[in-house]
Amino acid sequence: MTRTFSRIVETVADFFLIFIIVFGIYIITHGHLTPGGGFQGGVVLAAGILLLLVAHGFSFARKIPEELLSDLEAIGGIAFILLASLGFGQSFFYNILWHEKLAFAEQVGRFFSGGAIPLMNLSVGLKVVAGITSGMFALSLFGGEES
Amino acid sequence: MSHLPICGIVVYLTAAFLTPLLYKAHRRVAEGVFLASTLSNPVLQTLLILELSSNSWKPIVYTLGAAGPYEWTYPIRIVLEVDALSAFMALIVTSISAAVALFSIGYMEEDGLQKYYTLFLLLDAGMLGMVLTGDLFNLYVFLEITSISSYALVAFRKHQWEAVEAGMKYMIMGSLASTIILVSIALLYGEYGTLTMAQLGWQYRHHPTGMARVALAGLLAGFLMKGGIVPVHMWLADAHPAAPSTISALLSGLVIKVGIYSAARIAYSVFWMGTDVRLLGWLVVVVGAASIIVGNLLAGFQRDIKRLLAYSSIGQVGYVVTGLGIALIPGVNPEASRAALDGALFHLLNHAVLKAMLFLSVGAIVHSLGTRDIGYMGGIAKRMPLTSAVVLLGAMGIIGAPPLNGFVSKWMLYEATAIFNPIIGAIAVLGTAFSTVAYGRLFYALLGRESRLVADRSPRDPGLWMSVPMIFLAAASVLFGILPRIPVVGLVRPARAALLSPGSYTSWLKVAGGILSSPNLPPAGQPISVFGSWVPAVFLLVFAISIAFFLLIRNLSASGVRTVGEGVKAFLSGEDERDFEALQLPGTSVVWGFAEAVKSLVNALKREHSGDLTVYLFWLIFLYAVLILLWGGA
Amino acid sequence: MISVAAQMVIQGIVLAGIFLTALYALLQKDLLASALMLAAMSLLMSLEFYLLQAPDVAIAEAAVGAGVSTLVLVLGIRKTGRWEE
Amino acid sequence: MMVYLTAFALIMLGIAGMLFRRNLLKIIMALSVADSGAYLLLIAIGYRSGGTAPILTGYEGGPMVDPLPQALVLTAIVIGVCVLIMAVSLVVNVYRHYGTLDVSELRRLRG
């Protein structure tokens, strides 16, 4: 049960991992322009990391410290709330960066548009990657039978 | 625009994400943030109430992400809508969780896991969001935040089989209920194209459709499950004892109340104005009355003290739901209708205070003894005088003993139910009788002879961190009992008025016609006195029915005598008492005779609580189907 | 732009596929096979979401349903037992 | 119409699966089938015949499908995956304590 897969599987997984990660990052960063956003990209990235987990065996999960993941998750959450709080001059979640032309305020359709939304997508993506990965790692390490 | 409505939620969420980061730096810092956020929140909600009352309780509408809710011609933004009822609930949620948070600093010392603070704060944020929100989308999101963190907290002690089993059942039942709620929200959206509750109420008033009624059936079934009402209460008795005691206090004190609140908000503010809700109101009254009987009765037959409290929660929430159901029925004596609603809301507040206090103090006892069996708690009152005093005070409050707050709200409910229907009134009285038996055993046990376990462990009263919240809650209970006018006039009446005037809930909408008036609204009358009205004939009838019940039980009771054995441990000291071998109990003795009398009923009920998840799920689907058939199809 | 009739046919096939995979997944005694069937259902579901003009949801459903939740279920099956008795 | 029928069929199928299957993992799978039915129902409700996806970039006029149900479904998917991960980790715990996944064996708490 604890045998990892063959060398071929590992290599193929490593190869595809690059594409999965690029695709995930694309989905997150273009969230305000194209379908997708923080959550979708985050799940895709998490799925990539989990592919590593499957291909390289579950002991791989031990190499990534649990604390790092929970820190990243917390940072993602705080960043999201801070960005939402920026709008307190008007109302919570008010997109002040865009309405006041402070940052990311180019014309709709350009990459640097959308105000706080791309930043929010980033923080949500961070939170989702860290959350799902840590949940899965906890699950896969559970019971300590693979060692 | 005032930002008070959102502030509480933001404070909780920020603290929830900060604590795991700070925990690594220093544990005390994380605890400080945890305490600061939970203790500051009641202040924020008090300010919110002051702002509301200074504006003659006109609902505050707060729009997320824009200056106003209107994008086109109808409200499209996500809104928070705070009226007197929401603010009342928000104050309860934040104050009780502040007390519990203070207690858990001392209590969770050993478990001390950083996840606990995050989950606790997320649970608070979810509940606060549920009571403050003004649209169904948000309600669903916050409901799920609440539910998921409570599943996680029930299963917090994963190394115990009990927590795992209870968490599993709770989670699967709760998820099915959430799915039913989601489907109902989808149906409502498909019907009316909006999820803002005020807008939905307006639409339903003008175009009531069958599909919307089906949706209401689903929403009610789901939220009644979250509120632990018979027949979908089975998870509660498993889940609440399995959690750590602080979490039990939150779950029993607040989470189920928030479920009831959501059901009431949807039934009253959205659907009440549209159609005749007589049948629905009766259905709610019947499930409430069933909860009163089942919960309080089964509480008397538990050896596990936390399970006793959990069953008693079902019974007490039954009172709240009965009161809410009575006011839902049009054509009831308006005095009774108002008294029922006052009583229900005040009992909601009182039960939150009392159950939090009971779970915290019982938690301290369980913590120091290492067992939850009442039989081993004999004579602990001498060793832990403060804690035991709080337990017994809470027990008296729940029974409804006169100087305490439970008495006032129960009295209002007795009167309302008696005027409404004498049989329901007698059931309300009977429920109190059952709960007296249940909590009476605590008096025997705690004040009785010292058991060997207590002598061995020699427990002591907990430290300052844990004593202060207990004393605070006990003081609140006594204060509300002696001076019920303060909470009733200050908080409960405005909340009741808000619930009974759905027109004001929708009044901010830019629609023709202004404020709606409901066909179901009872005509305005003289404000009812705190203790209601006195109608001798009705009360005589209720008295007669109660006596008939009593005689029935009395006649069923065993006529023989019984030698003391295993079964009375709980009332003596918990050990097999050699000295008491000769003691004999006659069949008329309160506790044993009563137990014999209702044994067949209790055994039938216990068979129904078989622990089989499939049966529990079946009951949820059954309730849903009954609601749809009786009300959706009509 | 595909014609309306063609779209109806495609949708019919996809929806029938969704239903059949779900049915098969729930009737199957082999838990691993059911987990994989659920993944297939999720993929078809995301295709259906795409046809219904919900690309956001389609991406999320594909990543979650076919990726993460299948893996979670497979992990759970590995830790417990493969066969439903 | 077909979509609505499929959605309701999936919900019914999921509920039936939860009621008649005895294996906990199977019950969780049935729950996710019922959830999928709810998602499909919501998306179908938001669909406007001939509408385009609700994305501003490259928008050329014409009807758009309703974005709100899609947002609701996304939220529900997030919630669903959280519940799934937690449920499976609880199932693993159940297996450790009870040695079985049969719900009729999971009956120590009762009465």
Side-chain angles (χ1 to χ4, degrees):
Chain A
M1 191 167 176
T2 56
R3 272 297 305 148
T4 53
F5 292 90
S6 67
R7 181 61 55 85
I8 300 175
V9 176
E10 284 182 27
T11 317
V12 172
D14 286 351
F15 178 70
F16 274 110
L17 183 69
I18 299 165
F19 291 98
I20 292 176
I21 286 180
V22 169
F23 183 56
I25 291 174
Y26 169 81
I27 290 179
I28 294 179
T29 50
H30 288 69
H32 53 297
L33 302 175
T34 56
F39 172 71
Q40 288 94 331
V43 178
V44 170
L45 282 179
I49 295 173
L50 300 179
L51 182 67
L52 273 188
L53 189 77
V54 173
H56 290 262
F58 292 93
S59 56
F60 175 78
R62 289 185 202 287
K63 287 183 193 152
I64 298 182
E66 164 70 21
E67 295 182 356
L68 176 71
L69 289 173
S70 71
D71 280 1
L72 284 179
E73 191 180 350
I75 290 171
I78 290 173
F80 186 81
I81 291 189
L82 275 183
L83 285 168
S85 307
L86 279 183
F88 257 139
Q90 180 66 263
S91 141
F92 194 63
F93 273 116
Y94 187 72
N95 195 344
I96 199 156
L97 295 184
W98 189 73
H99 283 283
E100 304 291 326
K101 306 265 181 291
L102 291 177
F104 294 98
E106 289 181 23
Q107 194 188 344
V108 173
R110 305 288 294 276
F111 183 72
F112 290 104
S113 66
I117 294 174
L119 300 175
M120 283 182 167
N121 274 334
L122 274 179
S123 48
V124 170
L126 191 62
K127 185 162 170 56
V128 169
V129 173
I132 291 185
T133 318
S134 74
M136 292 290 294
F137 281 5
L139 189 58
S140 70
L141 290 177
F142 187 80
E145 54 203 34
E146 13 263 330
S147 51
Chain B
M1 179 156 48
S2 151
H3 294 291
L4 273 175
I6 193 79
C7 276
I9 302 172
V10 175
V11 166
Y12 275 142
L13 280 179
T14 315
F17 295 128
L18 269 177
T19 41
L21 281 181
L22 293 176
Y23 196 88
K24 237 149 277 156
H26 199 279
R27 186 177 149 190
R28 290 285 163 203
V29 183
E31 279 174 0
V33 170
F34 173 65
L35 275 186
S37 63
T38 44
L39 293 183
S40 65
N41 239 307
V43 180
L44 287 174
Q45 306 309 327
T46 313
L47 289 176
L48 185 60
I49 285 188
L50 289 179
E51 186 177 324
L52 262 178
S53 66
S54 70
N55 206 358
S56 66
W57 301 103
K58 201 168 158 295
I60 300 176
V61 179
Y62 184 85
T63 315
L64 293 179
Y70 289 91
E71 190 89 339
W72 292 299
T73 50
Y74 58 95
I76 189 156
R77 295 286 180 176
I78 283 180
V79 294
L80 302 179
E81 180 164 4
V82 188
D83 65 354
L85 179 67
S86 307
F88 169 69
M89 289 297 298
L91 187 64
I92 297 179
V93 167
T94 48
S95 325
I96 301 285
S97 47
V100 175
L102 205 57
F103 188 88
S104 59
I105 293 289
Y107 187 75
M108 298 299 285
E109 197 87 51
E110 286 122 59
D111 292 74
L113 297 167
Q114 69 202 65
K115 290 236 165 46
Y116 174 83
Y117 300 122
T118 310
L119 288 171
F120 188 108
L121 290 165
L122 280 178
L123 182 64
D124 275 351
M127 289 191 292
L128 191 56
M130 271 175 85
V131 299
L132 293 182
T133 186
D135 73 12
L136 284 180
F137 188 140
N138 249 6
L139 183 65
Y140 176 72
V141 172
F142 284 120
L143 170 74
E144 287 301 301
I145 293 177
T146 311
S147 304
I148 290 179
S149 31
S150 48
Y151 307 148
L153 282 167
V154 166
F156 191 68
R157 291 172 173 160
K158 272 190 195 157
H159 48 89
Q160 297 172 351
W161 60 264
E162 188 193 358
V164 171
E165 178 179 339
M168 193 80 233
K169 286 177 182 169
Y170 182 23
M171 170 176 251
I172 289 183
M173 269 194 91
S175 304
L176 182 57
S178 299
T179 304
I180 291 176
I181 290 173
L182 180 64
V183 171
S184 311
I185 291 177
L187 293 179
L188 271 181
Y189 187 77
E191 206 63 24
Y192 295 130
T194 178
L195 286 179
T196 311
M197 282 198 261
Q199 178 82 358
L200 278 176
W202 175 263
Q203 293 274 14
Y204 185 72
R205 170 90 168 90
H206 291 280
H207 320 278
T209 60
M211 195 57 98
R213 295 162 75 102
V214 172
L216 172 63
L219 289 170
L220 273 189
F223 283 119
L224 287 183
M225 178 269 153
K226 304 276 181 192
I229 294 300
V230 171
V232 280
H233 62 286
M234 283 95 160
W235 58 272
L236 194 152
D238 298 342
H240 289 193
S245 289
T246 46
I247 299 306
S248 311
L250 279 191
L251 290 175
S252 255
L254 301 176
V255 174
I256 55 177
K257 308 288 184 343
V258 171
I260 300 293
Y261 160 84
S262 307
R265 170 64 81 204
I266 288 165
Y268 278 91
S269 295
V270 178
F271 284 91
W272 196 45
M273 288 188 293
T275 44
D276 190 356
V277 286
R278 181 183 306 272
L279 197 55
L280 186 78
W282 267 103
L283 215 68
V284 173
V285 170
V286 167
V287 293
S291 307
I292 294 177
I293 296 281
V294 173
N296 285 320
L297 183 58
L298 283 179
F301 289 81
Q302 304 301 324
R303 297 201 58 142
D304 179 339
I305 188 167
K306 284 177 76 176
R307 210 170 163 82
L308 186 158
L309 295 182
Y311 268 116
S312 148
S313 281
I314 296 172
Q316 303 301 322
V317 167
Y319 281 105
V320 176
V321 170
T322 309
L324 288 171
I326 288 173
L328 206 55
I329 299 174
V332 179
N333 177 353
E335 287 257 300
S337 181
R338 275 192 293 269
L341 214 46
D342 275 352
L345 293 174
F346 193 31
H347 198 62
L348 194 150
L349 164 66
N350 290 339
H351 183 248
V353 171
L354 291 168
K355 218 17 103 52
M357 170 175 148
L358 273 169
F359 264 117
L360 293 184
S361 49
V362 161
I365 291 180
V366 170
H367 192 63
S368 60
L369 278 187
T371 177
R372 305 200 317 228
D373 194 326
I374 302 174
Y376 292 102
M377 292 178 183
I380 204 167
K382 260 180 230 135
R383 307 271 181 164
M384 302 172 80
L386 175 71
T387 316
S388 304
V390 174
V391 173
L392 298 181
L393 196 72
M396 278 166 64
I398 293 240
I399 293 169
L404 295 170
N405 56 355
F407 168 74
V408 185
S409 50
K410 275 198 172 177
W411 185 255
M412 290 164 151
L413 281 167
Y414 295 150
E415 284 191 337
T417 48
I419 297 173
F420 167 68
N421 184 324
I423 295 180
I424 303 287
I427 287 178
V429 175
L430 201 64
T432 297
F434 289 161
S435 75
T436 311
V437 172
Y439 285 101
R441 299 162 67 215
L442 284 185
F443 282 87
Y444 280 111
L446 264 58
L447 298 174
R449 267 174 43 136
E450 191 165 277
S451 80
R452 227 164 288 152
L453 184 73
V454 172
D456 287 349
R457 291 282 183 112
S458 64
R460 290 217 323 274
D461 267 328
L464 192 65
W465 282 116
M466 287 153 83
S467 306
V468 167
M470 289 195 298
I471 293 171
F472 168 72
L473 289 169
S477 157
V478 174
L479 179 74
F480 292 171
I482 295 173
L483 299 169
R485 268 187 182 279
I486 300 175
V488 169
V489 175
L491 293 170
V492 172
R493 286 234 183 105
R496 177 253 287 168
L499 208 50
L500 281 183
S501 55
S504 73
Y505 196 72
T506 55
S507 61
W508 56 274
L509 288 173
K510 285 187 203 160
V511 282
I515 291 177
L516 294 170
S517 68
S518 165
N520 295 328
L521 206 62
Q526 287 297 315
I528 202 161
S529 71
V530 170
F531 296 110
S533 59
W534 181 252
V535 186
V538 173
F539 290 100
L540 271 179
L541 190 56
V542 172
F543 192 61
I545 294 177
S546 306
I547 294 281
F549 271 128
F550 175 74
L551 288 178
L552 192 69
I553 290 178
R554 176 82 194 281
N555 281 347
L556 284 174
S557 70
S559 52
V561 289
R562 178 182 182 206
T563 311
V564 172
E566 186 72 12
V568 286
K569 268 184 182 176
F571 315 114
L572 301 172
S573 73
E575 312 285 329
D576 283 324
E577 291 292 338
R578 306 255 176 268
D579 313 351
F580 281 94
E581 202 101 48
L583 184 69
Q584 292 189 324
L585 288 173
T588 48
S589 143
V590 176
V591 173
W592 180 60
F594 169 80
E596 284 295 312
V598 291
K599 195 160 242 173
S600 59
L601 178 59
V602 169
N603 282 340
L605 281 175
K606 280 199 168 179
R607 251 199 318 282
E608 225 30 70
H609 295 71
S610 57
D612 193 336
L613 180 61
T614 310
V615 177
Y616 295 179
L617 290 174
F618 166 76
W619 277 110
L620 180 54
I621 299 298
F622 175 75
L623 177 70
Y624 186 25
V626 167
L627 278 166
I628 287 183
L629 286 180
L630 277 185
W631 202 70
Chain C
M1 202 67 206
I2 9 172
S3 72
V4 177
Q7 207 173 3
M8 287 285 279
V9 173
I10 295 174
Q11 278 214 8
I13 294 170
V14 172
L15 289 172
I18 290 173
F19 184 72
L20 290 178
T21 42
L23 191 65
Y24 184 78
L26 292 187
L27 290 178
Q28 179 62 250
K29 290 277 175 199
D30 182 354
L31 288 172
L32 201 57
S34 336
L36 295 178
M37 267 300 142
L38 277 187
M41 188 198 82
S42 284
L43 278 180
L44 285 173
M45 191 76 100
S46 84
L47 184 57
E48 176 64 30
F49 288 156
Y50 184 74
L51 289 177
L52 291 176
Q53 301 292 338
D56 276 16
V57 185
I59 295 176
E61 176 73 26
V64 166
V68 174
S69 53
T70 311
L71 203 63
V72 170
L73 282 172
V74 169
L75 267 176
I77 292 166
R78 273 187 68 164
K79 300 274 177 182
T80 56
R82 179 169 169 182
W83 298 95
E84 184 183 356
E85 58 279 354
Chain D
M1 206 59 233
M2 279 188 305
V3 188
Y4 289 103
L5 278 181
T6 317
F8 281 112
L10 282 183
I11 295 170
M12 291 297 155
L13 195 63
I15 290 177
M18 289 180 83
L19 289 181
F20 297 117
R21 298 274 94 177
R22 312 291 305 176
N23 186 297
L24 269 177
L25 274 172
K26 205 42 130 352
I27 288 177
I28 291 168
M29 288 180 194
L31 181 68
S32 78
V33 168
D35 269 344
S36 303
Y39 306 157
L40 195 55
L41 178 67
L42 267 166
I43 294 290
I45 282 171
Y47 182 66
R48 301 279 174 276
S49 174
T52 54
I55 294 161
L56 281 178
T57 319
Y59 177 61
E60 289 154 358
M64 268 189 182
V65 303
D66 196 338
L68 193 139
Q70 299 192 4
L72 191 49
V73 171
L74 270 180
T75 319
I77 288 178
V78 178
I79 290 161
V81 72
C82 289
V83 169
L84 186 81
I85 292 181
M86 270 180 60
V88 171
S89 83
L90 269 183
V91 163
V92 175
N93 274 298
V94 166
Y95 190 75
R96 208 167 56 132
H97 288 294
Y98 291 76
T100 176
L101 292 186
D102 193 342
V103 278
S104 42
E105 304 283 320
L106 197 69
R107 286 175 52 184
R108 287 191 208 163
L109 289 175
R110 57 169 130 172

